[in-house]
Each structure stands twice: as structure tokens, then as C-alpha cells.
Amino acid sequence: MRRPRRRLLVPAAALLLATACGTEHPDTGGGAVPAPRATVTDPPVDGVRITSVTIPSASPTPSASPGLVHADRLPGDSGISAAYQVSNDGDETMTYTVRFDFTTDTGAVMGNKQVTVPGVRPGHSTAGTVELGVLAPGASPVTRVKVAEVTKVPADEAPSETGACPASGVRLWADDGDAATGLRVVGLHLENCGKRDYTLDGFPELSLLDDDREPVGGIRILHGGDAIAMGTGFDEPPAHVTLKPGEAALSGLIWRNTTLAGTAVNVPYVRVLARPGAAPVTVTPGLDLGTTGKLGVGAWKRAGR
């Protein structure tokens, strides 16, 4: 089955604001008057493109920069937003996760937002809007929005932290991780959201996948966090864990991103089976394994231990 490709990191010149379709109107005494949105014509990034950008101004003037869209700003909110479209040109229904960067003219990132777009069918498109929200005090003016990163997984393998309980009766997802000097730890979370007990015994089964979600070779998967470093919180031996409805368990991915001789390896996708025969869930921890050739995985344990 053909696999759609994935690309990361948009070129720096991407997503410049195009001239607004329309004209700005002078202030009539009641405050700023919004102008039409600025359209964006840059090419899509792995099926995701920004179609227009709105940037507010307290008092628009004829000398305002071309392509900026002005709108009244809500108290405490930047008012900056971007409309986007996600198009699936593959052959299977996909769930997309997109990170949008809000930048200055020079490309400095003043904020970012991550959006998940579930279940985009082959040959279909989905539109939405992403808002920056509150801009940090002292931040430089935002003038551009770009698609910074796109990951996508088959919809029936998408991780779920909230929403309807999957047919499997369990949710599984990865957190944002924690980093020490050269050491990385990403938690794998599992919640029994079904109506029956769910039993775990040992370690999750992992498959490491590349950008095309094909197997990555040459990496040893080691059981126990202490195979990589001590004190990671995943050093316990495997144990029998039975989760009642509403209870949760935790495992973890542990690695070092040391780069010495050889070619560094990056693993964007990890397909996880919570136990043998379980429905697979594909998470996107972005493993930068350096040249170590090793990844540790912790045994399942009850959450909170």
C-alpha cells in the first residue's frame, strides 16, 4: 500500500503574507475597522497550507504594511489567527497533527500552536482556523504565520488523550517528554476508558518507523530505563497490572541523543502495541537517537507510582 510522505520544517521564505484582497477603511470614530483577510498563496506543506492570515491593529492607517489584515483586538488576546486547509492526497484516512509558528519579519518565533485534524479521508480537504491567543509581554510584532511541522498517522492508529473511547476500550498517547543533558524520556500513557478490566504484563511492543512509516533498522530496543541510564523512573521489573475502568498505566521511551562517529538516526513515528494482539497506536515522539543505536522502554506500571 502506498504510503504518503511527510516533510518537516518549512523553508524560511515560506508563507509570506500576500497583499490583502480589498482596501482598509479609515477609522470612523468607533475604533478600528476590520479589513478583509490577507490571502496566502504559498504551496502546501505535506498537504497543509495557510489560506489567509489576520493580524490586528488598534488604529489602521493608509501606511500600514501591505498584506496585513486588521481587526479589533479582544482584551488580553493578540487577535492574530490563520485560516488553513488540510488536503489528503493519499489512499487512506489520516489524522494530521500540525504545528503553526507565529513569527516576525526576520523569522523569530513569538509563539506556536499545535492543532490535530482527525479523520481526513482520501481525496478530501478540511478547513480550520488557528489562533495565537495571548502574546507574551515584550514580544516583537508578529507579521507572518507558517506551517512548521506536519505529522500524520492512519486515523485508526491515532493516539487519543480525550474524546470518545476507542473501540479497543483504552486510550494510548505520548506526552511531550522531559530532557536532561543528552538524556530524553517520553512517557507512554494508557487509560482504561472501557467497561471491563484491562490487563498488562510486561513491556509495550514497539515498531520504529521512518518518514514513510516504514521500519527503521539498526536500533536495539532494550527493556528497562536502566539499560540507558539510572533514575529515569522506569527501572522496575515487569509486573502484572490489571486496570479497572478509569484507571491508568504508564511506560516510557528512554534514549540519549549522543552523536559520535556514524550517521545520526531520527525516528519520527513509533507504533505501539500495549500488549500482544492489541490494536496498534502510532505516536510521534520524534526520537533523535543520535548514533547510539539504542532505545530503552519501561515496563508498564500503574500511573502515579
Side-chain angles (χ1 to χ4, degrees):
M1 179 169 57
R2 183 170 64 88
R3 298 289 190 182
R5 297 189 63 83
R6 164 183 175 269
R7 291 173 291 170
L8 301 180
L9 300 180
V10 185
L15 298 176
L16 302 182
L17 302 186
T19 303
C21 300
T23 58
E24 292 181 342
H25 301 282
D27 192 346
T28 57
V33 177
R37 285 184 172 182
T39 57
V40 177
T41 58
D42 296 278
V45 178
D46 207 16
V48 182
R49 70 184 184 94
I50 294 176
T51 56
S52 66
V53 174
T54 298
I55 295 181
S57 174
S59 55
T61 65
S63 62
S65 300
L68 299 186
V69 179
H70 302 291
D72 292 319
R73 184 180 306 191
L74 297 175
D77 192 286
S78 67
I80 300 170
S81 65
Y84 63 86
Q85 179 175 293
V86 178
S87 300
N88 183 358
D89 62 357
D91 53 11
E92 59 184 317
T93 301
M94 305 295 287
T95 289
Y96 292 71
T97 300
V98 187
R99 193 185 83 233
F100 297 91
D101 282 354
F102 296 77
T103 78
T104 65
D105 276 335
T106 61
V109 178
M110 296 295 105
N112 53 56
K113 290 292 182 179
Q114 183 169 288
V115 173
T116 297
V117 183
V120 183
R121 292 179 294 162
H124 287 71
S125 297
T126 298
T129 301
V130 58
E131 298 178 349
L132 174 58
V134 177
L135 192 61
S140 299
V142 169
T143 59
R144 306 177 184 185
V145 185
K146 70 178 183 180
V147 180
E149 184 179 63
V150 178
T151 58
K152 55 187 180 182
V153 301
D156 57 1
E157 295 185 13
S160 62
E161 186 175 353
T162 59
C165 186
S168 64
V170 296
R171 307 184 198 280
L172 195 153
W173 71 95
D175 61 30
D176 292 333
D178 191 14
T181 304
L183 180 67
R184 302 291 186 269
V185 180
V186 167
L188 293 177
H189 300 259
L190 183 146
E191 178 191 0
N192 181 0
C193 57
K195 298 180 180 179
R196 300 178 179 178
D197 290 354
Y198 192 85
T199 299
L200 300 164
D201 192 3
F203 301 86
E205 297 181 5
L206 308 179
S207 299
L208 308 184
L209 308 177
D210 63 15
D211 283 345
D212 298 316
R213 299 193 313 284
E214 298 294 338
V216 174
I219 304 297
R220 289 184 295 158
I221 298 176
L222 307 176
H223 285 172
D226 55 357
I228 305 296
M230 299 300 295
T232 63
F234 296 102
D235 304 334
E236 299 92 338
H240 188 82
V241 178
T242 297
L243 303 176
K244 295 185 179 301
E247 293 183 335
L250 179 66
S251 176
L253 306 177
I254 307 98
W255 74 97
R256 291 191 182 278
N257 63 352
T258 307
T259 301
L260 299 173
T263 302
V265 176
N266 291 288
V267 178
Y269 298 98
V270 178
R271 181 176 285 124
V272 182
L273 273 64
R275 64 185 187 185
V281 174
T282 299
V283 298
T284 55
L287 307 181
D288 51 339
L289 299 176
T291 56
T292 63
K294 297 186 295 185
L295 173 67
V297 57
W300 288 114
K301 62 181 182 178
R302 290 187 182 278
R305 291 184 55 191

